[in-house]
Amino acid sequence: MTIAPPANALGTASTLAPISTTIAPSPPEHQPRFSPPSWCDLGPQAEAACGETAALVPVTTAVVSPTAVPIFSPRALPTGPSSGPQLYRQRQSALQAGQLYTRISPDSYRDRWQQATTQPTYLQWRQLLAQEAAAAAAGQGPNRLEIVVGDSLGLWLPPESLPRDRIWLNQGISGDTTAGVLARLDAFRQTRPTVIHLMVGVNDLKNNVPETQIVHNLEQIVAQLQHQHPQARIVLYSVLPTRWDNIGSDRTRSLNNHIAYLSARSGVDYRDLQGLFRDAAGILRAELTTDGLHLNRQGYALWQQVMVAGI
């Protein structure tokens, strides 16, 4: 089927022509049994995530090809993109080929992204994410869809480590804030997610946004998600501790207390990651981070354990 081009980040209709495509399962070699031992140690709630994966139902859909431009990044994936420009170009290439990047192997389209160096703008990122959301909405069919919303922590979540019996849509942008996320929720309004994973706020702290404003923005985000996706389970995560002096543990703890209260009042799930990620001094564990703020593979594996437990 053909879908209308999504609105770009400025709100005007894209003039790019739609192309026919199919969101299909990854090749068999990239769909291993989903049973990492550490994930299966979480108890009964996680046992379902440790069984055989179910094959996705192939569905025909369409996407529009995004404007050719790249990005920024803090972490390297083992065999995949190691910079923002590379990741952007890989996702763009996947979309143009009729795939979501969350369904491809990490090194796919290497010949197209390996030399990418040009950083994309925030608005260009928004356009790409909107186009990926349009493709997911058109091609979801009966398949389960989970959306990750947030900043660079969500952006660099390794998709190849996530359960393969569902479609994953990544709506993270490096450097984004609660105000930025609130302004772009319409990008995936037409999707039908079963679960929405939301983690955002650390850049607000870095930018010295008042705590009351951060909490207000989060309240609006949750309310809008509940209105747009009444069928979805919303999972709100605590802000992670950091090792940065300008984002002290007292500030993250205070904000997380408000997030926990907001979650209870709004009726959404709250996942408190602080105990898993902080050391005896109350800051981010050194072995889980690349720079004191962003996560390495070990850090992401820990977050993913919590992400799939009970979902």
Side-chain angles (χ1 to χ4, degrees):
M1 63 182 286
T2 299
I3 57 173
N8 65 18
L10 297 175
T12 57
S14 170
T15 57
L16 298 174
I19 57 174
S20 295
T21 181
T22 299
I23 298 179
S26 297
E29 63 269 26
H30 300 303
Q31 295 195 52
R33 175 183 171 86
F34 182 67
S35 56
S38 59
W39 292 31
C40 299
D41 291 337
L42 294 178
Q45 285 189 315
E47 287 179 0
C50 299
E52 296 290 346
T53 60
L56 287 178
V57 179
V59 224
T60 299
T61 180
V63 296
V64 292
S65 55
T67 306
V69 251
I71 83 177
F72 153 79
S73 116
R75 264 153 333 284
L77 301 179
T79 59
S82 60
S83 71
Q86 291 178 346
L87 179 63
Y88 186 96
R89 182 57 181 148
Q90 182 190 55
R91 290 173 67 159
Q92 187 181 61
S93 298
L95 195 62
Q96 290 170 337
Q99 297 177 295
L100 288 178
Y101 101 102
T102 54
R103 300 296 301 170
I104 63 176
S105 62
D107 62 347
S108 295
Y109 306 107
R110 177 177 292 273
D111 60 327
R112 302 186 194 178
W113 57 255
Q114 195 166 23
Q115 303 303 317
T117 57
T118 305
Q119 302 288 358
T121 66
Y122 179 78
L123 293 183
Q124 289 164 341
W125 258 119
R126 284 186 58 172
Q127 181 183 32
L128 178 63
L129 266 58
Q131 291 168 345
E132 289 180 336
Q140 179 181 350
N143 296 306
R144 179 174 175 175
L145 173 67
E146 299 198 19
I147 304 178
V148 178
V149 183
D151 48 38
S152 58
L153 291 168
L155 171 68
W156 286 92
L157 184 72
E160 70 274 11
S161 302
L162 295 169
R164 308 297 287 174
D165 60 346
R166 66 205 70 174
I167 297 173
W168 291 86
L169 178 64
N170 192 307
Q171 294 283 292
I173 298 180
S174 288
D176 215 354
T177 61
T178 53
V181 168
L182 179 61
R184 59 185 177 87
L185 296 179
D186 277 348
F188 56 92
R189 175 186 288 272
Q190 299 306 315
T191 61
R192 293 174 288 105
T194 50
V195 183
I196 300 173
H197 302 270
L198 173 64
M199 181 196 283
V200 65
V202 72
N203 288 312
D204 295 76
L205 293 177
K206 183 178 69 173
N207 297 338
N208 293 313
V209 176
E211 187 176 83
T212 53
Q213 185 61 54
I214 302 173
V215 175
H216 177 68
N217 290 344
L218 284 170
E219 288 175 337
Q220 290 187 295
I221 291 171
V222 169
Q224 187 169 331
L225 289 176
Q226 289 176 319
H227 176 71
Q228 290 179 187
H229 309 282
Q231 80 291 342
R233 179 178 179 179
I234 299 172
V235 182
L236 184 55
Y237 295 88
S238 62
V239 171
L240 294 179
T242 79
R243 301 181 68 85
W244 289 14
D245 291 339
N246 63 331
I247 311 177
S249 57
D250 56 335
R251 297 179 65 201
T252 56
R253 279 197 304 268
S254 178
L255 177 57
N256 285 332
N257 286 339
H258 286 286
I259 293 176
Y261 179 68
L262 162 64
S263 300
R265 193 173 70 248
S266 303
V268 302
D269 289 359
Y270 176 62
R271 299 284 174 90
D272 189 352
L273 303 176
Q274 296 174 97
L276 290 173
F277 281 83
R278 68 187 175 207
D279 62 16
I283 60 177
L284 182 59
R285 290 163 51 189
E287 71 273 20
L288 302 179
T289 180
T290 59
D291 59 3
L293 175 68
H294 299 101
L295 299 178
N296 58 23
R297 296 288 291 193
Q298 186 177 348
Y300 276 117
L302 191 58
W303 181 17
Q304 288 170 340
Q305 290 180 23
V306 178
M307 182 175 285
V308 302
I311 297 294

